[in-house]
Amino acid sequence: MARSRLRRPTSGPAPRSSAGYVLGLLFVGNLLNYYDRALPSVVLEPIKDEYGLDDTQVGVLASAFVLVAAVAGVPLGRLADRIARRTVAGWGLLVWSAATAAGGVLTSFWGFFASRVGVGVGESSYAPATGSLLSDLYPSERRSRAHSLFMLGFPIGTLLAFFTAGGLAVAFDSWRAPFLIAAVPGVVVGFLVLRIREPERGAAEPTRASASTTRGNRRKNLLSLLRVRSMYGMLLAFAGYNFAAYAIGTFLTPVLQRYYGLGLVSAGAVGGVVVGVTGLIGLLVGGRALDRAARKSPAARVQVAAVSLVGAAVFSFAGLAADQGALWQLLVFLSLGYLHGIVYLAAAVPVVSDVIAPEQRSGALGLMFAIGYLLGGAAGPVFVGALSDSLAAASGSADEASAHGLQTAMMITVPLAFAVAAIGALLTSRFVQTDRDTMLARETAA
């Protein structure tokens, strides 16, 4: 990985952190982020049995931390535009690690629910702060690759959760054990994040704003971001992608258990292949492809992401349409769909960084994550769960109805959500070049 030196902060001669070290440390934090997010999905059936939940209630539980993350992400993103980004990200990591541990200790349903809310508050701080920080470490034409390496925490963290959480639950004879174990490394990494040295805001841009302009930009209202036409397409794309991704993350293991008859450990392993292995490949390949396209133009990067999302819609439908005797079809085609879909993630933050001034990026990312989580991440599990219960109620025996209802709900909603994301990316590609030129011109004039 290429290494670059961060600018010495004006506050004093403290040692500087290298770009590679900062990226690696933030990646580990992101891995723990998604590991902790995935834990309830892997042991969902034991949780459901203990608390007597239906699929709608499961969807609400899965969406609890997402809803809070959406609401908290906007002010925390704005906060990261005003104070050191390492402070916001590091303390967020400590908070969500503590809340994850609480989920393994509290015994009532509402206690567990509250712990997931706490996870949402902590994790809502991480993406806006780290996204802005990484954009100051790498120039535009290298950001997709850098962000794809950071986002490897998503598939690797999810993969580790799918492969280990079920085994840990069986080994300790409790679904709570993985929650307690996962909290320990989060505390260590949180303190390390608090000690990194940041680059100056806008350090990787071809133009730099003056200090007075920086202070003025930080005072701008979030509504000013909506004057950037690219933001509308990005919000739609991020919401559509998150709807599909969170639906898969929440209900893939239950589908494998109910519809295909797999045990908890086997279902976790298959889910790990679909979400983890293919996600890893998609980000590694996608980051390079997107940066190559970005050398031509910012619009080309978004167009590549849009085409990939179209592939995600087609392949995911082919996989989720597999009948009970064709598990191979689900594994092959849903994996291809997930691979194509996750390529978009390597484009999302770099595109925001292309069109939003450095001093407003954390707030812009907080807004994008908030809308994406509200309309996508939170709505996805709830809508799929409610549709599953509705379809099951109109079917035959309870067990068979539950299996077919969930499989059908996934087959309808996931491909449609990927298609909506593709439309949003195509809309973004129409305006991204003009919006970037406008942003750079304003920075130059300042």
Side-chain angles (χ1 to χ4, degrees):
M1 180 185 302
R3 296 172 67 87
S4 64
R5 304 293 293 177
L6 303 189
R7 298 176 183 269
R8 185 181 299 275
T10 58
S11 58
R16 296 173 291 179
S17 304
S18 72
Y21 170 75
V22 174
L23 175 57
L25 185 62
L26 296 182
F27 154 76
V28 175
N30 205 36
L31 183 154
L32 296 172
N33 178 348
Y34 284 98
Y35 187 95
D36 293 351
R37 288 191 191 198
L39 285 178
S41 299
V42 179
V43 293
L44 189 57
E45 291 298 284
I47 292 174
K48 181 181 177 184
D49 291 341
E50 177 167 332
Y51 295 125
L53 308 176
D54 60 25
D55 281 343
T56 302
Q57 292 170 314
V58 165
V60 172
L61 177 62
S63 299
F65 89 94
V66 183
L67 285 168
V68 175
V71 175
V74 175
L76 288 172
R78 294 281 284 172
L79 180 64
D81 280 332
R82 289 167 166 77
I83 66 173
R85 290 161 290 186
R86 67 175 181 268
T87 302
V88 177
W91 277 106
L93 211 164
L94 293 173
V95 168
W96 92 61
S97 297
T100 298
V105 175
L106 300 172
T107 56
S108 70
F109 169 74
W110 289 111
F112 184 76
F113 183 92
S115 77
R116 298 314 293 171
V117 171
V119 172
V121 172
E123 292 185 351
S124 66
S125 69
Y126 199 70
T130 57
S132 172
L133 202 161
L134 287 174
S135 295
D136 288 336
L137 286 170
Y138 297 94
S140 176
E141 65 274 11
R142 294 176 56 200
R143 283 178 189 152
S144 284
R145 186 184 178 197
H147 195 70
S148 70
L149 294 174
F150 169 75
M151 283 306 302
L152 285 177
F154 179 9
I156 295 176
T158 305
L159 178 66
L160 288 174
F162 272 96
F163 278 145
T164 64
L168 288 171
V170 172
F172 287 91
D173 194 28
S174 172
W175 60 263
R176 300 177 182 277
F179 292 82
L180 294 170
I181 295 171
V184 177
V187 174
V188 176
V189 176
F191 281 115
L192 291 175
V193 170
L194 289 171
R195 293 178 60 84
I196 65 176
R197 302 297 304 181
E198 294 190 16
E200 297 176 17
R201 296 181 193 267
E205 294 300 328
T207 59
R208 301 293 303 279
S210 66
S212 60
T213 301
T214 295
R215 289 191 294 269
N217 281 341
R218 290 183 188 180
R219 290 194 293 267
K220 285 184 179 178
N221 192 288
L222 275 176
L223 292 177
S224 67
L225 299 174
L226 297 180
R227 298 177 190 144
V228 181
R229 292 176 295 177
S230 301
M231 285 294 295
Y232 294 96
M234 287 187 284
L235 294 175
L236 182 63
F238 199 71
Y241 171 80
N242 275 280
F243 189 109
Y246 275 85
I248 292 172
T250 301
F251 288 112
L252 179 57
T253 299
V255 165
L256 291 167
Q257 290 180 275
R258 297 183 207 173
Y259 192 70
Y260 294 98
L262 300 184
L264 176 60
V265 176
S266 298
V270 173
V273 171
V274 172
V275 176
V277 174
T278 59
L280 190 152
I281 296 171
L283 284 171
L284 287 176
V285 174
R288 289 181 176 272
L290 290 165
D291 274 346
R292 191 176 297 114
R295 295 188 189 107
K296 299 178 182 177
S297 72
R301 170 159 42 201
V302 190
Q303 289 163 357
V304 171
V307 171
S308 188
L309 286 167
V310 171
V314 173
F315 285 122
S316 63
F317 178 80
L320 292 168
D323 61 34
Q324 290 173 304
L327 179 60
W328 67 268
Q329 182 180 335
L330 172 81
L331 180 61
V332 170
F333 288 100
L334 187 58
S335 294
L336 287 172
Y338 203 88
L339 186 154
H340 280 77
I342 206 169
V343 169
Y344 162 76
L345 277 188
V349 171
V351 172
V352 172
S353 301
D354 276 344
V355 299
I356 301 298
E359 296 76 23
Q360 286 189 290
R361 282 178 186 159
S362 291
L365 291 171
L367 177 64
M368 185 178 75
F369 287 122
I371 298 297
Y373 289 156
L374 282 172
L375 300 182
V382 173
F383 187 85
V384 172
L387 181 59
S388 171
D389 288 337
S390 177
L391 292 170
S395 301
S397 65
D399 291 341
E400 183 178 351
S402 177
H404 283 275
L406 184 56
Q407 182 266 342
T408 303
M410 292 281 283
M411 182 182 66
I412 293 171
T413 57
V414 169
L416 183 60
F418 277 134
V420 169
I423 293 171
L426 287 172
L427 289 173
T428 300
S429 69
R430 293 186 58 192
F431 305 111
V432 67
Q433 183 65 65
T434 301
D435 289 340
R436 176 160 179 77
D437 291 342
T438 300
M439 184 271 287
L440 292 176
R442 287 174 178 168
E443 294 291 292
T444 302

